[in-house]
Amino acid sequence: MKVKVNAYAKINLMLDIINKRTDGYHDLFMIMQSVDVYDVVTVSQSDSKTISITSNLTDIPLDSENIAWKAAYAFFKSQGIVDCGVEINLEKRIPHAAGLAGGSADGAAVITALDKIFNTRLSEKELCKLGAQIGADVPFCLTGGTLLAQGKGDVLSKVKQLPNCFIVLAKPDFGVSTAFAYSQFDKYGKNHTPDKFGMLCAVQSRNIDEICSKMENVFEQFEEIPGKIEIKEILKKNNARGVCMSGSGPTVFGIFEKKDDAVSASKELKDLAADIAVCKPVKQGCKIIEIIE
């Protein structure tokens, strides 16, 4: 059997780091949103008894360092499946090292596909528990939509869905190491705490203006992103209702009411960003688009 899955990227409408945990992770408060920029992940059964990965990109690991490989290995181990092989193809469209959870989305897609291929029928809770073993963002990428994520990112709570809007993603021509970003927090701490209660109230009232006014990412307090200020200025000049950095960066996004404004901003950003997309919110993290028996 072969299963093809769309694996959607995410942005952080809010990201606050509460503290560092004894297990090395950090306790977080995040309002996360899936967007319709996606990788296409194809998982096929094979007779090789190994996990193999191919991709349209050459600058990502295609071995056990890849989160997609780790997802397949964890799935087989958890389900007691032995002597089974799979071929995983990653058609990468989500920029990597961008703060958009591209790797986690791929891992979530692999779990989703294998659950279908092996007819294990895992519940959402079981899928997320498995995903949390692979990466902190994987449970969100399995579920998707608009969610409050706490703990290390694996404690998910439903909130009201983000109203319809257009979102411009702009990633400069470099990546950011998530581990390095968190080490900067451990070194410098934060200057102030985002208005978490205010953001929850705004999300639950589905008030897009209030949501945009409350957007904040604590990484921006101690992380230098070249070009970020200029990107934000262009987004605002083109009528973005709010701007913020996603994850550990360096991607900056703006939320727009009108598509024409979003498109205009995206065109003006071409000299400042290597990867630019105009997208919309989606209500899921993974979507099976094809099954071949």
Side-chain angles (χ1 to χ4, degrees), residues 25 67 71 74-75 104 107-108 111 122 124-140 142 152 154:
Y25 285 95
I67 197 167
F75 177 86
S104 294
I111 292 173
L122 299 178
E124 184 176 280
K125 183 177 180 180
E126 290 171 323
L127 290 169
C128 288
K129 184 178 179 180
L130 176 59
Q133 299 173 22
I134 305 157
D137 283 340
V138 177
F140 171 80
L142 281 160
K152 64 180 183 179
D154 58 335

mmCIF file with all atom_site columns, all heavy atoms in Angstrom, residues 25 67 71 74-75 104 107-108 111 122 124-140 142 152 154:
data_model
loop_
_atom_site.group_PDB
_atom_site.id
_atom_site.type_symbol
_atom_site.label_atom_id
_atom_site.label_alt_id
_atom_site.label_comp_id
_atom_site.label_asym_id
_atom_site.label_entity_id
_atom_site.label_seq_id
_atom_site.pdbx_PDB_ins_code
_atom_site.Cartn_x
_atom_site.Cartn_y
_atom_site.Cartn_z
_atom_site.occupancy
_atom_site.B_iso_or_equiv
_atom_site.pdbx_formal_charge
_atom_site.auth_seq_id
_atom_site.auth_comp_id
_atom_site.auth_asym_id
_atom_site.auth_atom_id
_atom_site.pdbx_PDB_model_num
ATOM 1   N N   . TYR A 1 25  ? 13.950 20.056 28.446 1.00 0.00 ? 25  TYR A N   1
ATOM 2   C CA  . TYR A 1 25  ? 12.984 20.793 27.649 1.00 0.00 ? 25  TYR A CA  1
ATOM 3   C C   . TYR A 1 25  ? 12.576 22.075 28.391 1.00 0.00 ? 25  TYR A C   1
ATOM 4   O O   . TYR A 1 25  ? 13.055 22.358 29.492 1.00 0.00 ? 25  TYR A O   1
ATOM 5   C CB  . TYR A 1 25  ? 11.738 19.939 27.376 1.00 0.00 ? 25  TYR A CB  1
ATOM 6   C CG  . TYR A 1 25  ? 11.939 18.864 26.331 1.00 0.00 ? 25  TYR A CG  1
ATOM 7   C CD1 . TYR A 1 25  ? 12.283 17.554 26.698 1.00 0.00 ? 25  TYR A CD1 1
ATOM 8   C CD2 . TYR A 1 25  ? 11.769 19.137 24.981 1.00 0.00 ? 25  TYR A CD2 1
ATOM 9   C CE1 . TYR A 1 25  ? 12.462 16.560 25.747 1.00 0.00 ? 25  TYR A CE1 1
ATOM 10  C CE2 . TYR A 1 25  ? 11.940 18.151 24.015 1.00 0.00 ? 25  TYR A CE2 1
ATOM 11  C CZ  . TYR A 1 25  ? 12.283 16.866 24.401 1.00 0.00 ? 25  TYR A CZ  1
ATOM 12  O OH  . TYR A 1 25  ? 12.452 15.901 23.451 1.00 0.00 ? 25  TYR A OH  1
ATOM 13  N N   . ILE A 1 67  ? 13.574 13.324 11.079 1.00 0.00 ? 67  ILE A N   1
ATOM 14  C CA  . ILE A 1 67  ? 12.452 13.048 11.983 1.00 0.00 ? 67  ILE A CA  1
ATOM 15  C C   . ILE A 1 67  ? 11.440 12.098 11.340 1.00 0.00 ? 67  ILE A C   1
ATOM 16  O O   . ILE A 1 67  ? 10.745 11.348 12.044 1.00 0.00 ? 67  ILE A O   1
ATOM 17  C CB  . ILE A 1 67  ? 11.777 14.364 12.422 1.00 0.00 ? 67  ILE A CB  1
ATOM 18  C CG1 . ILE A 1 67  ? 10.914 14.125 13.670 1.00 0.00 ? 67  ILE A CG1 1
ATOM 19  C CG2 . ILE A 1 67  ? 10.997 14.998 11.294 1.00 0.00 ? 67  ILE A CG2 1
ATOM 20  C CD1 . ILE A 1 67  ? 10.481 15.416 14.339 1.00 0.00 ? 67  ILE A CD1 1
ATOM 21  N N   . ALA A 1 71  ? 10.114 8.794  13.099 1.00 0.00 ? 71  ALA A N   1
ATOM 22  C CA  . ALA A 1 71  ? 8.675  8.539  13.249 1.00 0.00 ? 71  ALA A CA  1
ATOM 23  C C   . ALA A 1 71  ? 8.332  7.110  12.833 1.00 0.00 ? 71  ALA A C   1
ATOM 24  O O   . ALA A 1 71  ? 7.570  6.410  13.518 1.00 0.00 ? 71  ALA A O   1
ATOM 25  C CB  . ALA A 1 71  ? 7.874  9.540  12.426 1.00 0.00 ? 71  ALA A CB  1
ATOM 26  N N   . ALA A 1 74  ? 9.746  4.680  15.470 1.00 0.00 ? 74  ALA A N   1
ATOM 27  C CA  . ALA A 1 74  ? 8.959  4.711  16.712 1.00 0.00 ? 74  ALA A CA  1
ATOM 28  C C   . ALA A 1 74  ? 7.609  4.025  16.514 1.00 0.00 ? 74  ALA A C   1
ATOM 29  O O   . ALA A 1 74  ? 7.126  3.335  17.426 1.00 0.00 ? 74  ALA A O   1
ATOM 30  C CB  . ALA A 1 74  ? 8.759  6.158  17.158 1.00 0.00 ? 74  ALA A CB  1
ATOM 31  N N   . PHE A 1 75  ? 7.008  4.206  15.337 1.00 0.00 ? 75  PHE A N   1
ATOM 32  C CA  . PHE A 1 75  ? 5.718  3.555  15.062 1.00 0.00 ? 75  PHE A CA  1
ATOM 33  C C   . PHE A 1 75  ? 5.875  2.038  15.081 1.00 0.00 ? 75  PHE A C   1
ATOM 34  O O   . PHE A 1 75  ? 5.107  1.333  15.749 1.00 0.00 ? 75  PHE A O   1
ATOM 35  C CB  . PHE A 1 75  ? 5.173  4.005  13.712 1.00 0.00 ? 75  PHE A CB  1
ATOM 36  C CG  . PHE A 1 75  ? 3.890  3.333  13.317 1.00 0.00 ? 75  PHE A CG  1
ATOM 37  C CD1 . PHE A 1 75  ? 2.667  3.832  13.743 1.00 0.00 ? 75  PHE A CD1 1
ATOM 38  C CD2 . PHE A 1 75  ? 3.901  2.172  12.548 1.00 0.00 ? 75  PHE A CD2 1
ATOM 39  C CE1 . PHE A 1 75  ? 1.475  3.190  13.402 1.00 0.00 ? 75  PHE A CE1 1
ATOM 40  C CE2 . PHE A 1 75  ? 2.723  1.532  12.205 1.00 0.00 ? 75  PHE A CE2 1
ATOM 41  C CZ  . PHE A 1 75  ? 1.509  2.039  12.633 1.00 0.00 ? 75  PHE A CZ  1
ATOM 42  N N   . SER A 1 104 ? 8.745  18.392 11.887 1.00 0.00 ? 104 SER A N   1
ATOM 43  C CA  . SER A 1 104 ? 7.696  17.790 12.727 1.00 0.00 ? 104 SER A CA  1
ATOM 44  C C   . SER A 1 104 ? 6.469  17.429 11.895 1.00 0.00 ? 104 SER A C   1
ATOM 45  O O   . SER A 1 104 ? 5.830  16.394 12.131 1.00 0.00 ? 104 SER A O   1
ATOM 46  C CB  . SER A 1 104 ? 7.304  18.760 13.843 1.00 0.00 ? 104 SER A CB  1
ATOM 47  O OG  . SER A 1 104 ? 8.381  18.955 14.738 1.00 0.00 ? 104 SER A OG  1
ATOM 48  N N   . GLY A 1 107 ? 7.196  14.178 10.219 1.00 0.00 ? 107 GLY A N   1
ATOM 49  C CA  . GLY A 1 107 ? 7.065  13.077 11.173 1.00 0.00 ? 107 GLY A CA  1
ATOM 50  C C   . GLY A 1 107 ? 5.611  12.726 11.435 1.00 0.00 ? 107 GLY A C   1
ATOM 51  O O   . GLY A 1 107 ? 5.236  11.549 11.489 1.00 0.00 ? 107 GLY A O   1
ATOM 52  N N   . ALA A 1 108 ? 4.778  13.753 11.593 1.00 0.00 ? 108 ALA A N   1
ATOM 53  C CA  . ALA A 1 108 ? 3.347  13.527 11.814 1.00 0.00 ? 108 ALA A CA  1
ATOM 54  C C   . ALA A 1 108 ? 2.710  12.845 10.615 1.00 0.00 ? 108 ALA A C   1
ATOM 55  O O   . ALA A 1 108 ? 1.862  11.946 10.765 1.00 0.00 ? 108 ALA A O   1
ATOM 56  C CB  . ALA A 1 108 ? 2.655  14.863 12.093 1.00 0.00 ? 108 ALA A CB  1
ATOM 57  N N   . ILE A 1 111 ? 3.540  9.080  10.598 1.00 0.00 ? 111 ILE A N   1
ATOM 58  C CA  . ILE A 1 111 ? 2.717  8.352  11.568 1.00 0.00 ? 111 ILE A CA  1
ATOM 59  C C   . ILE A 1 111 ? 1.301  8.181  11.037 1.00 0.00 ? 111 ILE A C   1
ATOM 60  O O   . ILE A 1 111 ? 0.698  7.104  11.128 1.00 0.00 ? 111 ILE A O   1
ATOM 61  C CB  . ILE A 1 111 ? 2.705  9.090  12.916 1.00 0.00 ? 111 ILE A CB  1
ATOM 62  C CG1 . ILE A 1 111 ? 4.080  9.032  13.570 1.00 0.00 ? 111 ILE A CG1 1
ATOM 63  C CG2 . ILE A 1 111 ? 1.656  8.480  13.855 1.00 0.00 ? 111 ILE A CG2 1
ATOM 64  C CD1 . ILE A 1 111 ? 4.214  9.886  14.822 1.00 0.00 ? 111 ILE A CD1 1
ATOM 65  N N   . LEU A 1 122 ? -5.144 3.943  15.524 1.00 0.00 ? 122 LEU A N   1
ATOM 66  C CA  . LEU A 1 122 ? -4.809 4.606  16.776 1.00 0.00 ? 122 LEU A CA  1
ATOM 67  C C   . LEU A 1 122 ? -5.700 5.832  16.978 1.00 0.00 ? 122 LEU A C   1
ATOM 68  O O   . LEU A 1 122 ? -6.025 6.543  16.026 1.00 0.00 ? 122 LEU A O   1
ATOM 69  C CB  . LEU A 1 122 ? -3.337 5.033  16.772 1.00 0.00 ? 122 LEU A CB  1
ATOM 70  C CG  . LEU A 1 122 ? -2.302 3.910  16.645 1.00 0.00 ? 122 LEU A CG  1
ATOM 71  C CD1 . LEU A 1 122 ? -0.900 4.490  16.617 1.00 0.00 ? 122 LEU A CD1 1
ATOM 72  C CD2 . LEU A 1 122 ? -2.441 2.918  17.795 1.00 0.00 ? 122 LEU A CD2 1
ATOM 73  N N   . GLU A 1 124 ? -6.611 9.675  18.411 1.00 0.00 ? 124 GLU A N   1
ATOM 74  C CA  . GLU A 1 124 ? -5.833 10.911 18.359 1.00 0.00 ? 124 GLU A CA  1
ATOM 75  C C   . GLU A 1 124 ? -4.904 11.005 19.561 1.00 0.00 ? 124 GLU A C   1
ATOM 76  O O   . GLU A 1 124 ? -3.744 11.427 19.437 1.00 0.00 ? 124 GLU A O   1
ATOM 77  C CB  . GLU A 1 124 ? -6.768 12.121 18.320 1.00 0.00 ? 124 GLU A CB  1
ATOM 78  C CG  . GLU A 1 124 ? -6.047 13.448 18.175 1.00 0.00 ? 124 GLU A CG  1
ATOM 79  C CD  . GLU A 1 124 ? -7.003 14.599 18.043 1.00 0.00 ? 124 GLU A CD  1
ATOM 80  O OE1 . GLU A 1 124 ? -7.541 14.819 16.934 1.00 0.00 ? 124 GLU A OE1 1
ATOM 81  O OE2 . GLU A 1 124 ? -7.226 15.310 19.047 1.00 0.00 ? 124 GLU A OE2 1
ATOM 82  N N   . LYS A 1 125 ? -5.392 10.587 20.719 1.00 0.00 ? 125 LYS A N   1
ATOM 83  C CA  . LYS A 1 125 ? -4.576 10.618 21.929 1.00 0.00 ? 125 LYS A CA  1
ATOM 84  C C   . LYS A 1 125 ? -3.375 9.691  21.792 1.00 0.00 ? 125 LYS A C   1
ATOM 85  O O   . LYS A 1 125 ? -2.247 10.048 22.177 1.00 0.00 ? 125 LYS A O   1
ATOM 86  C CB  . LYS A 1 125 ? -5.416 10.218 23.144 1.00 0.00 ? 125 LYS A CB  1
ATOM 87  C CG  . LYS A 1 125 ? -4.680 10.294 24.471 1.00 0.00 ? 125 LYS A CG  1
ATOM 88  C CD  . LYS A 1 125 ? -5.610 9.951  25.636 1.00 0.00 ? 125 LYS A CD  1
ATOM 89  C CE  . LYS A 1 125 ? -4.870 10.031 26.968 1.00 0.00 ? 125 LYS A CE  1
ATOM 90  N NZ  . LYS A 1 125 ? -5.770 9.694  28.109 1.00 0.00 ? 125 LYS A NZ  1
ATOM 91  N N   . GLU A 1 126 ? -3.583 8.496  21.248 1.00 0.00 ? 126 GLU A N   1
ATOM 92  C CA  . GLU A 1 126 ? -2.491 7.537  21.072 1.00 0.00 ? 126 GLU A CA  1
ATOM 93  C C   . GLU A 1 126 ? -1.488 8.035  20.036 1.00 0.00 ? 126 GLU A C   1
ATOM 94  O O   . GLU A 1 126 ? -0.273 7.890  20.207 1.00 0.00 ? 126 GLU A O   1
ATOM 95  C CB  . GLU A 1 126 ? -3.054 6.177  20.655 1.00 0.00 ? 126 GLU A CB  1
ATOM 96  C CG  . GLU A 1 126 ? -3.828 5.468  21.758 1.00 0.00 ? 126 GLU A CG  1
ATOM 97  C CD  . GLU A 1 126 ? -4.563 4.240  21.260 1.00 0.00 ? 126 GLU A CD  1
ATOM 98  O OE1 . GLU A 1 126 ? -5.080 4.256  20.121 1.00 0.00 ? 126 GLU A OE1 1
ATOM 99  O OE2 . GLU A 1 126 ? -4.638 3.253  22.024 1.00 0.00 ? 126 GLU A OE2 1
ATOM 100 N N   . LEU A 1 127 ? -1.997 8.638  18.967 1.00 0.00 ? 127 LEU A N   1
ATOM 101 C CA  . LEU A 1 127 ? -1.113 9.192  17.943 1.00 0.00 ? 127 LEU A CA  1
ATOM 102 C C   . LEU A 1 127 ? -0.228 10.289 18.527 1.00 0.00 ? 127 LEU A C   1
ATOM 103 O O   . LEU A 1 127 ? 0.983  10.338 18.285 1.00 0.00 ? 127 LEU A O   1
ATOM 104 C CB  . LEU A 1 127 ? -1.935 9.749  16.776 1.00 0.00 ? 127 LEU A CB  1
ATOM 105 C CG  . LEU A 1 127 ? -2.657 8.738  15.885 1.00 0.00 ? 127 LEU A CG  1
ATOM 106 C CD1 . LEU A 1 127 ? -3.628 9.452  14.953 1.00 0.00 ? 127 LEU A CD1 1
ATOM 107 C CD2 . LEU A 1 127 ? -1.649 7.921  15.070 1.00 0.00 ? 127 LEU A CD2 1
ATOM 108 N N   . CYS A 1 128 ? -0.846 11.178 19.317 1.00 0.00 ? 128 CYS A N   1
ATOM 109 C CA  . CYS A 1 128 ? -0.103 12.294 19.903 1.00 0.00 ? 128 CYS A CA  1
ATOM 110 C C   . CYS A 1 128 ? 0.917  11.817 20.938 1.00 0.00 ? 128 CYS A C   1
ATOM 111 O O   . CYS A 1 128 ? 2.013  12.373 21.045 1.00 0.00 ? 128 CYS A O   1
ATOM 112 C CB  . CYS A 1 128 ? -1.059 13.310 20.519 1.00 0.00 ? 128 CYS A CB  1
ATOM 113 S SG  . CYS A 1 128 ? -1.994 14.265 19.301 1.00 0.00 ? 128 CYS A SG  1
ATOM 114 N N   . LYS A 1 129 ? 0.563  10.778 21.688 1.00 0.00 ? 129 LYS A N   1
ATOM 115 C CA  . LYS A 1 129 ? 1.511  10.219 22.664 1.00 0.00 ? 129 LYS A CA  1
ATOM 116 C C   . LYS A 1 129 ? 2.737  9.671  21.949 1.00 0.00 ? 129 LYS A C   1
ATOM 117 O O   . LYS A 1 129 ? 3.884  9.865  22.399 1.00 0.00 ? 129 LYS A O   1
ATOM 118 C CB  . LYS A 1 129 ? 0.826  9.119  23.490 1.00 0.00 ? 129 LYS A CB  1
ATOM 119 C CG  . LYS A 1 129 ? 1.713  8.540  24.588 1.00 0.00 ? 129 LYS A CG  1
ATOM 120 C CD  . LYS A 1 129 ? 0.963  7.498  25.402 1.00 0.00 ? 129 LYS A CD  1
ATOM 121 C CE  . LYS A 1 129 ? 1.871  6.915  26.493 1.00 0.00 ? 129 LYS A CE  1
ATOM 122 N NZ  . LYS A 1 129 ? 1.152  5.887  27.302 1.00 0.00 ? 129 LYS A NZ  1
ATOM 123 N N   . LEU A 1 130 ? 2.498  8.998  20.827 1.00 0.00 ? 130 LEU A N   1
ATOM 124 C CA  . LEU A 1 130 ? 3.603  8.482  20.026 1.00 0.00 ? 130 LEU A CA  1
ATOM 125 C C   . LEU A 1 130 ? 4.405  9.639  19.430 1.00 0.00 ? 130 LEU A C   1
ATOM 126 O O   . LEU A 1 130 ? 5.641  9.640  19.454 1.00 0.00 ? 130 LEU A O   1
ATOM 127 C CB  . LEU A 1 130 ? 3.059  7.577  18.913 1.00 0.00 ? 130 LEU A CB  1
ATOM 128 C CG  . LEU A 1 130 ? 4.057  7.022  17.904 1.00 0.00 ? 130 LEU A CG  1
ATOM 129 C CD1 . LEU A 1 130 ? 5.133  6.204  18.610 1.00 0.00 ? 130 LEU A CD1 1
ATOM 130 C CD2 . LEU A 1 130 ? 3.333  6.169  16.865 1.00 0.00 ? 130 LEU A CD2 1
ATOM 131 N N   . GLY A 1 131 ? 3.715  10.649 18.929 1.00 0.00 ? 131 GLY A N   1
ATOM 132 C CA  . GLY A 1 131 ? 4.380  11.794 18.326 1.00 0.00 ? 131 GLY A CA  1
ATOM 133 C C   . GLY A 1 131 ? 5.267  12.541 19.298 1.00 0.00 ? 131 GLY A C   1
ATOM 134 O O   . GLY A 1 131 ? 6.341  13.028 18.924 1.00 0.00 ? 131 GLY A O   1
ATOM 135 N N   . ALA A 1 132 ? 4.835  12.628 20.554 1.00 0.00 ? 132 ALA A N   1
ATOM 136 C CA  . ALA A 1 132 ? 5.606  13.352 21.566 1.00 0.00 ? 132 ALA A CA  1
ATOM 137 C C   . ALA A 1 132 ? 6.962  12.702 21.825 1.00 0.00 ? 132 ALA A C   1
ATOM 138 O O   . ALA A 1 132 ? 7.896  13.366 22.280 1.00 0.00 ? 132 ALA A O   1
ATOM 139 C CB  . ALA A 1 132 ? 4.814  13.435 22.864 1.00 0.00 ? 132 ALA A CB  1
ATOM 140 N N   . GLN A 1 133 ? 7.074  11.404 21.528 1.00 0.00 ? 133 GLN A N   1
ATOM 141 C CA  . GLN A 1 133 ? 8.355  10.717 21.701 1.00 0.00 ? 133 GLN A CA  1
ATOM 142 C C   . GLN A 1 133 ? 9.361  11.136 20.638 1.00 0.00 ? 133 GLN A C   1
ATOM 143 O O   . GLN A 1 133 ? 10.564 10.979 20.805 1.00 0.00 ? 133 GLN A O   1
ATOM 144 C CB  . GLN A 1 133 ? 8.151  9.201  21.619 1.00 0.00 ? 133 GLN A CB  1
ATOM 145 C CG  . GLN A 1 133 ? 7.221  8.621  22.672 1.00 0.00 ? 133 GLN A CG  1
ATOM 146 C CD  . GLN A 1 133 ? 6.931  7.147  22.422 1.00 0.00 ? 133 GLN A CD  1
ATOM 147 O OE1 . GLN A 1 133 ? 7.688  6.457  21.739 1.00 0.00 ? 133 GLN A OE1 1
ATOM 148 N NE2 . GLN A 1 133 ? 5.835  6.657  22.972 1.00 0.00 ? 133 GLN A NE2 1
ATOM 149 N N   . ILE A 1 134 ? 8.855  11.706 19.559 1.00 0.00 ? 134 ILE A N   1
ATOM 150 C CA  . ILE A 1 134 ? 9.706  12.034 18.408 1.00 0.00 ? 134 ILE A CA  1
ATOM 151 C C   . ILE A 1 134 ? 10.119 13.501 18.410 1.00 0.00 ? 134 ILE A C   1
ATOM 152 O O   . ILE A 1 134 ? 11.256 13.848 18.126 1.00 0.00 ? 134 ILE A O   1
ATOM 153 C CB  . ILE A 1 134 ? 8.954  11.705 17.097 1.00 0.00 ? 134 ILE A CB  1
ATOM 154 C CG1 . ILE A 1 134 ? 8.498  10.241 17.102 1.00 0.00 ? 134 ILE A CG1 1
ATOM 155 C CG2 . ILE A 1 134 ? 9.836  11.987 15.879 1.00 0.00 ? 134 ILE A CG2 1
ATOM 156 C CD1 . ILE A 1 134 ? 7.351  9.975  16.183 1.00 0.00 ? 134 ILE A CD1 1
ATOM 157 N N   . GLY A 1 135 ? 9.178  14.378 18.746 1.00 0.00 ? 135 GLY A N   1
ATOM 158 C CA  . GLY A 1 135 ? 9.459  15.806 18.744 1.00 0.00 ? 135 GLY A CA  1
ATOM 159 C C   . GLY A 1 135 ? 8.342  16.581 19.397 1.00 0.00 ? 135 GLY A C   1
ATOM 160 O O   . GLY A 1 135 ? 7.173  16.179 19.333 1.00 0.00 ? 135 GLY A O   1
ATOM 161 N N   . ALA A 1 136 ? 8.684  17.713 20.006 1.00 0.00 ? 136 ALA A N   1
ATOM 162 C CA  . ALA A 1 136 ? 7.704  18.473 20.786 1.00 0.00 ? 136 ALA A CA  1
ATOM 163 C C   . ALA A 1 136 ? 6.563  19.030 19.946 1.00 0.00 ? 136 ALA A C   1
ATOM 164 O O   . ALA A 1 136 ? 5.445  19.191 20.439 1.00 0.00 ? 136 ALA A O   1
ATOM 165 C CB  . ALA A 1 136 ? 8.413  19.608 21.529 1.00 0.00 ? 136 ALA A CB  1
ATOM 166 N N   . ASP A 1 137 ? 6.820  19.327 18.659 1.00 0.00 ? 137 ASP A N   1
ATOM 167 C CA  . ASP A 1 137 ? 5.773  19.898 17.802 1.00 0.00 ? 137 ASP A CA  1
ATOM 168 C C   . ASP A 1 137 ? 4.953  18.840 17.066 1.00 0.00 ? 137 ASP A C   1
ATOM 169 O O   . ASP A 1 137 ? 3.964  19.171 16.414 1.00 0.00 ? 137 ASP A O   1
ATOM 170 C CB  . ASP A 1 137 ? 6.388  20.845 16.763 1.00 0.00 ? 137 ASP A CB  1
ATOM 171 C CG  . ASP A 1 137 ? 6.771  22.197 17.358 1.00 0.00 ? 137 ASP A CG  1
ATOM 172 O OD1 . ASP A 1 137 ? 6.244  22.543 18.434 1.00 0.00 ? 137 ASP A OD1 1
ATOM 173 O OD2 . ASP A 1 137 ? 7.601  22.898 16.742 1.00 0.00 ? 137 ASP A OD2 1
ATOM 174 N N   . VAL A 1 138 ? 5.380  17.577 17.141 1.00 0.00 ? 138 VAL A N   1
ATOM 175 C CA  . VAL A 1 138 ? 4.694  16.536 16.368 1.00 0.00 ? 138 VAL A CA  1
ATOM 176 C C   . VAL A 1 138 ? 3.235  16.349 16.797 1.00 0.00 ? 138 VAL A C   1
ATOM 177 O O   . VAL A 1 138 ? 2.350  16.219 15.941 1.00 0.00 ? 138 VAL A O   1
ATOM 178 C CB  . VAL A 1 138 ? 5.470  15.201 16.415 1.00 0.00 ? 138 VAL A CB  1
ATOM 179 C CG1 . VAL A 1 138 ? 4.710  14.102 15.667 1.00 0.00 ? 138 VAL A CG1 1
ATOM 180 C CG2 . VAL A 1 138 ? 6.855  15.385 15.807 1.00 0.00 ? 138 VAL A CG2 1
ATOM 181 N N   . PRO A 1 139 ? 2.902  16.344 18.113 1.00 0.00 ? 139 PRO A N   1
ATOM 182 C CA  . PRO A 1 139 ? 1.489  16.217 18.476 1.00 0.00 ? 139 PRO A CA  1
ATOM 183 C C   . PRO A 1 139 ? 0.617  17.311 17.855 1.00 0.00 ? 139 PRO A C   1
ATOM 184 O O   . PRO A 1 139 ? -0.480 17.021 17.361 1.00 0.00 ? 139 PRO A O   1
ATOM 185 C CB  . PRO A 1 139 ? 1.510  16.328 20.010 1.00 0.00 ? 139 PRO A CB  1
ATOM 186 C CG  . PRO A 1 139 ? 2.854  15.790 20.387 1.00 0.00 ? 139 PRO A CG  1
ATOM 187 C CD  . PRO A 1 139 ? 3.773  16.292 19.312 1.00 0.00 ? 139 PRO A CD  1
ATOM 188 N N   . PHE A 1 140 ? 1.108  18.556 17.860 1.00 0.00 ? 140 PHE A N   1
ATOM 189 C CA  . PHE A 1 140 ? 0.321  19.608 17.213 1.00 0.00 ? 140 PHE A CA  1
ATOM 190 C C   . PHE A 1 140 ? 0.174  19.330 15.720 1.00 0.00 ? 140 PHE A C   1
ATOM 191 O O   . PHE A 1 140 ? -0.918 19.488 15.148 1.00 0.00 ? 140 PHE A O   1
ATOM 192 C CB  . PHE A 1 140 ? 0.957  20.988 17.389 1.00 0.00 ? 140 PHE A CB  1
ATOM 193 C CG  . PHE A 1 140 ? 0.264  22.031 16.549 1.00 0.00 ? 140 PHE A CG  1
ATOM 194 C CD1 . PHE A 1 140 ? -0.935 22.602 16.970 1.00 0.00 ? 140 PHE A CD1 1
ATOM 195 C CD2 . PHE A 1 140 ? 0.762  22.390 15.306 1.00 0.00 ? 140 PHE A CD2 1
ATOM 196 C CE1 . PHE A 1 140 ? -1.603 23.510 16.166 1.00 0.00 ? 140 PHE A CE1 1
ATOM 197 C CE2 . PHE A 1 140 ? 0.102  23.302 14.496 1.00 0.00 ? 140 PHE A CE2 1
ATOM 198 C CZ  . PHE A 1 140 ? -1.086 23.867 14.938 1.00 0.00 ? 140 PHE A CZ  1
ATOM 199 N N   . LEU A 1 142 ? 0.085  16.573 14.195 1.00 0.00 ? 142 LEU A N   1
ATOM 200 C CA  . LEU A 1 142 ? -0.868 15.481 13.985 1.00 0.00 ? 142 LEU A CA  1
ATOM 201 C C   . LEU A 1 142 ? -2.308 15.978 14.083 1.00 0.00 ? 142 LEU A C   1
ATOM 202 O O   . LEU A 1 142 ? -3.209 15.447 13.439 1.00 0.00 ? 142 LEU A O   1
ATOM 203 C CB  . LEU A 1 142 ? -0.644 14.378 15.025 1.00 0.00 ? 142 LEU A CB  1
ATOM 204 C CG  . LEU A 1 142 ? 0.522  13.436 14.762 1.00 0.00 ? 142 LEU A CG  1
ATOM 205 C CD1 . LEU A 1 142 ? 0.949  12.744 16.049 1.00 0.00 ? 142 LEU A CD1 1
ATOM 206 C CD2 . LEU A 1 142 ? 0.141  12.405 13.692 1.00 0.00 ? 142 LEU A CD2 1
ATOM 207 N N   . LYS A 1 152 ? 5.868  20.896 27.117 1.00 0.00 ? 152 LYS A N   1
ATOM 208 C CA  . LYS A 1 152 ? 6.944  21.104 26.141 1.00 0.00 ? 152 LYS A CA  1
ATOM 209 C C   . LYS A 1 152 ? 6.374  21.293 24.731 1.00 0.00 ? 152 LYS A C   1
ATOM 210 O O   . LYS A 1 152 ? 7.120  21.331 23.755 1.00 0.00 ? 152 LYS A O   1
ATOM 211 C CB  . LYS A 1 152 ? 7.929  19.937 26.172 1.00 0.00 ? 152 LYS A CB  1
ATOM 212 C CG  . LYS A 1 152 ? 7.347  18.592 25.759 1.00 0.00 ? 152 LYS A CG  1
ATOM 213 C CD  . LYS A 1 152 ? 8.417  17.501 25.834 1.00 0.00 ? 152 LYS A CD  1
ATOM 214 C CE  . LYS A 1 152 ? 7.866  16.147 25.349 1.00 0.00 ? 152 LYS A CE  1
ATOM 215 N NZ  . LYS A 1 152 ? 8.895  15.089 25.401 1.00 0.00 ? 152 LYS A NZ  1
ATOM 216 N N   . ASP A 1 154 ? 3.405  19.437 24.031 1.00 0.00 ? 154 ASP A N   1
ATOM 217 C CA  . ASP A 1 154 ? 2.642  18.210 23.815 1.00 0.00 ? 154 ASP A CA  1
ATOM 218 C C   . ASP A 1 154 ? 1.303  18.181 24.550 1.00 0.00 ? 154 ASP A C   1
ATOM 219 O O   . ASP A 1 154 ? 0.520  17.244 24.390 1.00 0.00 ? 154 ASP A O   1
ATOM 220 C CB  . ASP A 1 154 ? 3.471  16.998 24.243 1.00 0.00 ? 154 ASP A CB  1
ATOM 221 C CG  . ASP A 1 154 ? 3.911  17.063 25.704 1.00 0.00 ? 154 ASP A CG  1
ATOM 222 O OD1 . ASP A 1 154 ? 4.005  18.177 26.248 1.00 0.00 ? 154 ASP A OD1 1
ATOM 223 O OD2 . ASP A 1 154 ? 4.167  15.998 26.294 1.00 0.00 ? 154 ASP A OD2 1
#
